[in-house]
Amino acid sequence: MAEQSKKITLYIFLFALFIMLAFFIAVNIYNIYITNKTDSLKTTKGTLECSFSFSIDSIRYSVPELSFNLHSSDINSLKKLIIDVDGIKTEVVLGEFFDYAQKVVVKDIIIQDSFRVYPDGCEDYNIKECSIIGKNCITIK
């Protein structure tokens, strides 16, 4: 009788161990699935919303006013630009594009040499670094 009781106790222990292991594996698989799905949606959304191109030329700066010509391949997606000068961000609301281009003037901005510019929400996907001295921009991302 004692030996039968030991077998039942062992089976109950192994069953409980199996249930705990199955629960642990299921939770980890669920977390991996949710993380991958969230990352995929975030990347796809950002890539689709920021897939247009833009260029900047004719950069002019006289303290404290910056002006440049902006050209864009998608005038409907580009509504706001962010100008980042050493971590200080300035939002520029854009007007209407004429022939996919417009002149942008930003007042009250202090720039030593270079600044970064990107469409609102596209900092990780579509960013350029521009130099006042060189009067040109290079694509970073």
Side-chain angles (χ1 to χ4, degrees), residues 12-139:
I12 290 173
F13 174 75
L14 289 176
F15 181 72
L17 185 65
F18 172 76
I19 295 296
M20 288 175 35
L21 182 63
F23 181 74
F24 176 76
I25 290 172
V27 167
N28 279 330
I29 288 173
Y30 177 76
N31 286 338
I32 290 170
Y33 169 74
I34 292 298
T35 302
N36 286 340
K37 182 178 176 185
T38 303
D39 289 346
S40 176
L41 287 175
K42 182 180 171 186
T43 302
T44 302
K45 180 183 174 201
T47 302
L48 290 176
E49 289 178 357
C50 301
S51 63
F52 60 91
S53 65
F54 71 98
S55 65
I56 293 175
D57 60 17
S58 302
I59 300 171
R60 288 174 295 286
Y61 180 70
S62 61
V63 178
E65 185 176 283
L66 171 69
S67 64
F68 53 84
N69 291 333
L70 174 66
H71 305 276
S72 177
S73 65
D74 186 1
I75 58 176
N76 296 324
S77 296
L78 190 55
K79 300 293 183 198
K80 223 189 278 188
L81 276 181
I82 307 296
I83 298 176
D84 184 353
V85 182
D86 298 327
I88 300 170
K89 297 178 181 179
T90 304
E91 283 188 8
V92 179
V93 178
L94 300 174
E96 279 193 47
F97 283 87
F98 297 105
D99 199 24
Y100 294 92
Q102 73 171 282
K103 183 174 177 86
V104 177
V105 178
V106 183
K107 298 179 187 276
D108 297 328
I109 189 166
I110 304 298
I111 302 172
Q112 296 298 323
D113 174 40
S114 64
F115 61 95
R116 290 183 175 198
V117 62
Y118 54 90
D120 188 27
C122 297
E123 184 174 7
D124 295 332
Y125 307 101
N126 198 355
I127 186 168
K128 297 186 184 306
E129 184 160 358
C130 301
S131 171
I132 293 174
I133 295 170
K135 297 188 184 292
N136 62 348
C137 295
I138 57 169
T139 301

